[in-house]
Amino acid sequence: ERQKMKDQTLTDLSEGQVLSGTVARLTNFGAFVNLGGVDGLVHISEISWKRIKHPSEVVQPGQAVEVLVLKVDPKRERISLSLRQARPDPWLIIDEQYKVGDVVKGRVTKLAKNYVFVELQDGVEGLVPLRELADFRVSRPEEVLKPDQEVEVRIIELNADTRRMVLSIRQAAAMMPEGQARQRHADTGGAGFNLGDLLKSKFSNAEMDQMMGKATSEGE
């Protein structure tokens, strides 16, 4: 009876179908989804529009999901499925949600040598070049940011065709009111704020005036 169900499922399947199934088990390379008598494989690259390290970040055994059939091989009883393609690609409507100049919230997902990845929503990431992290010199992203930190960024470049978005933390900070900027500096450890903000957060106005007066006298 089980074999009949499997044969029937394999016969009925065709590429491009969107079907309901249940996550049967997870592996390091993907997730197996039961479609009714037969399991299909969702490779890790087809689980989500965003980068993931393990399927468990998105799905769990026993979870009901919708999948798109990518390929069916009845003789070998192999079925390739996609979770992400059963959902809308967020980059197809990116121009409706964001535009250059917008200041939005995001989450730091990865720190690299010369840039930082910030996720705005599932499947939509932008990069912040090193020069756009702060108004002061930053040698390494780790000096001002950490993974999973929430930040505000300004979109300075957006190309839906190439799926490229360039962001700026320092420009977003420059657009914030002074008081709000100082509060955000306290909340985030100083990420994305200019040198003036950093000094004002540590010294009173009187102390700042005294320091500036002393510097001017020495310069003369």
Side-chain angles (χ1 to χ4, degrees):
E1 195 64 32
R2 187 176 301 158
Q3 186 62 42
K4 286 181 180 180
M5 184 182 295
K6 179 186 293 186
D7 293 341
Q8 186 63 47
T9 300
L10 288 168
T11 301
D12 293 342
L13 287 178
S14 61
E15 296 178 12
Q17 282 182 309
V18 176
L19 304 170
S20 297
T22 304
V23 178
R25 63 188 187 280
L26 305 179
T27 68
N28 290 332
F29 56 84
F32 286 91
V33 175
N34 186 276
L35 300 175
V38 62
D39 290 349
L41 173 64
V42 182
H43 190 268
I44 190 169
S45 62
E46 290 293 335
I47 286 180
S48 175
W49 287 109
K50 66 179 180 180
R51 289 196 306 268
I52 60 172
K53 295 181 179 179
H54 193 272
S56 60
E57 297 175 33
V58 179
V59 293
Q60 297 296 326
Q63 181 178 336
V65 293
E66 286 195 341
V67 291
L68 175 75
V69 180
L70 298 178
K71 188 176 181 180
V72 182
D73 187 342
K75 292 183 179 180
R76 302 173 67 185
E77 296 186 354
R78 289 190 177 180
I79 306 168
S80 296
L81 306 170
S82 174
L83 262 171
R84 68 171 188 165
Q85 293 188 49
R87 308 166 183 169
D89 180 353
W91 280 93
L92 294 179
I93 56 173
I94 199 74
D95 290 330
E96 300 174 12
Q97 298 175 295
Y98 306 103
K99 63 180 183 296
V100 172
D102 284 351
V103 175
V104 296
K105 289 185 178 181
R107 181 180 63 86
V108 176
T109 56
K110 182 180 179 181
L111 304 180
K113 183 178 181 181
N114 296 314
Y115 50 85
V116 173
F117 282 103
V118 174
E119 181 184 67
L120 304 188
Q121 65 180 68
D122 279 355
V124 176
E125 278 185 331
L127 62 87
V128 183
L130 197 63
R131 66 181 181 276
E132 294 295 337
L133 290 179
D135 281 339
F136 52 89
R137 182 186 175 91
V138 177
S139 300
R140 297 177 297 113
E142 292 85 351
E143 296 174 7
V144 291
L145 293 174
K146 58 186 178 181
D148 290 326
Q149 181 176 333
E150 187 178 273
V151 293
E152 286 196 347
V153 293
R154 185 169 189 256
I155 300 173
I156 58 178
E157 183 182 328
L158 177 60
N159 189 321
D161 294 333
T162 58
R163 305 171 80 90
R164 174 181 170 84
M165 184 185 295
V166 182
L167 309 168
S168 173
I169 291 177
R170 71 175 184 87
Q171 292 186 35
M175 298 174 67
M176 296 170 62
E178 182 177 323
Q180 187 178 354
R182 284 203 299 270
Q183 181 61 44
R184 185 55 56 87
H185 163 67
D187 293 341
T188 63
F193 295 90
N194 60 37
L195 187 57
D197 290 328
L198 292 173
L199 291 174
K200 289 175 183 177
S201 68
K202 295 182 179 180
F203 301 100
S204 67
N205 290 335
E207 290 172 327
M208 285 291 292
D209 291 341
Q210 185 178 358
M211 292 169 62
M212 293 299 292
K214 181 180 180 181
T216 302
S217 299
E218 291 177 351
E220 292 173 352

